[in-house]
Amino acid sequence: MTRTPAPTDPSVPTPTTVPWPSVAPTGSPTPDATPAPAQPRASTGPGAGTEPATDADTAGSPPGADSVAGAGTGARPDPAAEVTARPASGRPPAVSSAHASARGPGVWEELVTSALLGTDRRTPPGGERGPGAAAALLDAAAAETVRRRAGLRPARAARRPEPAPEDPRPALPEAAARRLATLLTDRPGTAGGGRRGSAPDLMELLPQWLATANARGFAAPPQALPALLDAARGRTDLRPAALKFAGPRALWLAGLNPDWRFALRATPGGGTAPPGSGASERARKLWAEGLFAERVALLASLRARDAVGARELLASTWATERAEDRLMFLDSLRTGLEAADEPFLEQALADRSRNVRATAAELLSALPQSALAARMAARAATCVSLDRTRTPPGIAVEAPHECDASMERDGVVAKPPAGRGERSWWFGQLMEAAPLATWPARLGGRTAEEIVALPVSDGWQGELHAAWCRAAVRQRDGVWARALLGAPTAPEAGGPGAVSLAERAKLLGTLGAGERAEWVAGFISTHGLSEAFQLLGMCGVPWATPLGRAVVDALNIARDAGSYPWSFSGVMGLAERCLDPSEAGRLDGLLAIPDEPEDASPGAGGYWAEAFQRLVTTLRLRAAMAEELRAGSCGTAPQGTAP
């Protein structure tokens, strides 16, 4: 291969024994096209600068270009240089003239396909079958590779971006920075046969590490920002903590790289319209001119610090917004929902979009003093009454016979889902939207516990209690949640009102962290771990000592029973992330392979020993991570954030 000065226009034939075609290469601009300004590539490291990107930066070469053609080492050639190629064989390619006429957008893909399938099965474009077909294919691929690289015009230089903002927070301790790099580069794998092995899953520890680092007020190392943004891009559960830790430089980078634009949407305000002098005017300008994602982020940011201003901003353009946009904007009012939002939400009940009306009704029903809540209470009261003819008294239910226009305006969906009766569907919606304070007065002054214990006529108990569960969650009513949950040791695991594990878990969310952990610990001690996974997910981290010990005891019982540990893999994974690291010492006795009873599953003891080894190793790793962050602590981590 020889190198000579190349023409600046790829359509001009190159002086070589192989005539170059006049068709522009795939992914490169045509001769009369005006190149678009390039996006700069920026670095956050010391002495960072920018470099204008060429089209090759964005288009790139298809996978396998170098391996098929054998040309180059993968380095991008200087676009200003001219390159010509003569095949290594010293003879013109056998496909030269035919190949020139066959060039087009898919010529490279055809060459790759021929190389993968073999020239006997797929003739190269413009080539012929025969002994020389393979050599001709490689010659053509080499020429095509050079043409694709050298036939790109340099893009116009872009304006140098503004410098990244400073992050005033203190830097991470050196050991913690190394730990972060390890967590971000970990690629979890499995042992043979799908087993997880005994090594900790580092990516699952990243959320806790970020929570602790944020609580202690550290700034992210600049060199870790790209990997941190990539991790947050792939896992939405990481985004709030990752973006808080990444700080203002993450938003700066997100403005330069389209792959990280999610940061502008996920960060409240997206770094836009910060408080201060002129903030109100900047906010109104962004609201009027910004992209949809920027407007959603701005509204969420304003709502968190100025509920009145956010509501006024939304009302100013409400009538002109699209239905799907109105729905997203309305959802932002969940943050800091207050009685002052009622007039705006009442207007939204007349919206032309059914989804908007339903969301407005849901928000209003979460305000027990709202007019909609009163209307729903009046409707629900006609459906439920105290039946004094029974001994003991019970609850009589008369479901609505129709769904009138006023009910639909207040958010009742008229058409039930498949397999659901109309009357029970309407009844459930009325009951969950009515304030729970309605029922003590309606049912003889009884308490929530006494009401839940009453028998319900004609098989309506499940429907009624399920609706009360949803109402307790929506209204954040801990008194009714306790009544519906019942005692954790009750034979009907979870109480008479909780008809599913999912509903029990939601009811637990209305209770305080300590009460939640105590209830779940009692549930596990009585009923074991078979139904505890969703309930454990509602408990704070690290688990309270009684809850952690209840989980370990239940796992030990399952091990002694000889069952396979992957039946409890979900609980074991939660224990690795949520068990207090101080409990590691208590688990040392579980690391040995136990004696297997005769009816045990073959090999179960070895699997359990491996699972407990991973649990102990993970707990000690979490303790080391906490110590690394504590070494340079500039703040006090609140309870529940330690890795």
Side-chain angles (χ1 to χ4, degrees):
M1 179 178 293
T2 60
R3 298 184 180 271
T4 62
T8 57
D9 189 335
S11 66
V12 179
T14 305
T16 179
T17 57
V18 182
W20 290 92
S22 58
V23 181
T26 305
S28 62
T30 57
D32 7 305
T34 302
Q39 292 291 336
R41 294 191 303 274
S43 170
T44 57
T50 60
E51 133 182 38
T54 66
D55 291 345
D57 291 323
T58 54
S61 297
D66 293 340
S67 61
V68 173
T73 60
R76 182 179 295 109
D78 184 351
E82 294 193 349
V83 182
T84 61
R86 177 179 296 276
S89 62
R91 63 181 184 280
V95 295
S96 58
S97 60
H99 187 60
S101 62
R103 288 188 188 275
V107 64
W108 176 257
E109 288 74 13
E110 292 178 13
L111 289 171
V112 172
T113 301
S114 297
L116 292 173
L117 296 179
T119 55
D120 290 340
R121 297 178 59 190
R122 175 66 65 88
T123 304
E128 298 179 356
R129 293 179 180 272
L137 169 65
L138 294 176
D139 290 344
E144 181 70 11
T145 297
V146 175
R147 189 182 73 87
R148 287 162 59 84
R149 290 182 173 182
L152 296 176
R153 288 181 175 179
R156 293 177 180 173
R159 182 177 63 85
R160 183 181 295 272
E162 296 296 326
E166 292 295 329
D167 193 333
R169 298 174 297 177
L172 272 176
E174 186 177 346
R178 290 195 300 269
R179 180 73 66 187
L180 174 62
T182 303
L183 295 175
L184 290 172
T185 56
D186 179 61
R187 294 294 181 267
T190 57
R195 294 160 57 185
R196 292 180 58 196
S198 59
D201 188 347
L202 299 185
M203 278 300 292
E204 291 303 316
L205 298 180
L206 183 58
Q208 288 185 31
W209 189 97
L210 289 171
T212 307
N214 284 331
R216 298 190 182 281
F218 290 119
Q223 67 274 16
L225 290 178
L228 191 61
L229 287 169
D230 284 339
R233 181 189 180 197
R235 287 181 55 179
T236 55
D237 62 308
L238 282 179
R239 289 184 182 179
L243 294 178
K244 180 180 179 181
F245 180 60
R249 291 174 176 172
L251 300 179
W252 179 80
L253 286 173
L256 300 173
N257 187 343
D259 289 344
W260 298 331
R261 289 292 173 87
F262 71 87
L264 301 177
R265 301 188 297 270
T267 303
T272 57
S277 177
S280 177
E281 184 59 33
R282 291 197 302 273
R284 290 190 176 279
K285 182 177 181 181
L286 179 62
W287 182 253
E289 302 174 0
L291 300 174
F292 172 69
E294 294 172 329
R295 299 176 74 209
V296 170
L298 171 64
L299 190 63
S301 176
L302 284 176
R303 182 70 180 177
R305 65 176 185 264
D306 182 9
V308 175
R311 188 172 57 247
E312 291 176 350
L313 194 65
L314 179 58
S316 66
T317 60
W318 179 259
T320 61
E321 303 288 355
R322 300 182 305 167
E324 56 268 33
D325 294 353
R326 293 198 303 276
L327 183 62
M328 290 290 292
F329 293 147
L330 193 63
D331 199 60
S332 68
L333 298 184
R334 295 182 189 276
T335 302
L337 184 66
E338 57 185 4
D341 296 322
E342 183 179 355
F344 179 81
L345 293 173
E346 276 286 341
Q347 293 179 4
L349 289 175
D351 196 271
R352 54 188 181 274
S353 167
R354 185 183 68 181
N355 290 334
V356 172
R357 294 196 302 271
T359 302
E362 180 187 348
L363 293 173
L364 283 168
S365 66
L367 296 171
Q369 305 304 319
S370 67
L372 179 136
R375 294 193 297 269
M376 287 298 194
R379 295 183 182 111
T382 64
C383 300
V384 173
S385 60
L386 188 63
D387 183 2
R388 300 181 184 276
T389 64
R390 303 178 57 172
T391 304
I395 295 176
V397 172
E398 180 66 27
H401 291 271
E402 65 174 347
C403 180
D404 57 32
S406 65
M407 289 170 61
E408 289 195 63
R409 181 186 180 275
D410 284 347
V412 177
V413 178
K415 186 177 180 180
R420 186 78 180 273
E422 286 185 334
R423 295 183 66 196
S424 65
W425 173 245
W426 301 331
F427 173 74
Q429 293 180 80
L430 293 181
M431 297 302 296
E432 70 179 273
L436 290 167
T438 303
W439 306 116
R442 176 68 176 166
L443 300 175
R446 289 172 171 81
T447 64
E449 290 82 359
E450 293 170 336
I451 291 172
V452 169
L454 290 174
V456 183
S457 64
D458 302 326
W460 283 98
Q461 177 171 309
E463 191 70 48
L464 176 61
H465 286 183
W468 278 341
C469 285
R470 297 192 294 272
V473 172
R474 182 182 297 184
Q475 298 171 34
R476 310 298 298 173
D477 193 314
V479 173
W480 274 84
R482 294 184 192 95
L484 291 163
L485 277 168
T489 56
E492 298 182 32
V499 296
S500 70
L501 280 172
E503 285 179 337
R504 289 199 284 272
K506 291 177 181 177
L507 288 171
L508 282 171
T510 66
L511 307 179
E515 187 177 1
R516 221 178 302 168
E518 182 181 357
W519 195 96
V520 177
F523 180 91
I524 292 172
S525 298
T526 304
H527 305 288
L529 291 170
S530 58
E531 294 186 341
F533 180 74
Q534 286 182 299
L535 305 179
L536 285 168
M538 299 301 298
C539 296
V541 179
W543 287 336
T545 299
L547 175 58
R549 293 185 176 178
V551 171
V552 172
D553 290 344
L555 288 171
N556 194 17
I557 292 172
R559 182 189 72 153
D560 292 342
S563 56
Y564 277 126
W566 48 73
S567 301
F568 306 95
S569 59
V571 174
M572 187 67 80
L574 282 176
E576 292 171 13
R577 300 189 296 274
C578 304
L579 197 62
D580 194 310
S582 63
E583 295 291 310
R586 295 184 61 247
L587 299 173
D588 287 338
L590 302 177
L591 301 182
I593 299 178
D595 296 331
E596 297 182 0
E598 293 182 0
D599 57 347
S601 302
Y607 288 110
W608 275 108
E610 185 178 84
F612 279 118
Q613 178 64 60
R614 182 176 60 251
L615 175 57
V616 171
T617 304
T618 302
L619 293 178
R620 288 180 173 150
L621 175 60
R622 286 172 53 204
M625 289 163 49
E627 185 59 33
E628 291 165 358
L629 287 167
R630 193 178 298 114
S633 177
C634 54
T636 302
Q639 185 177 5
T641 60

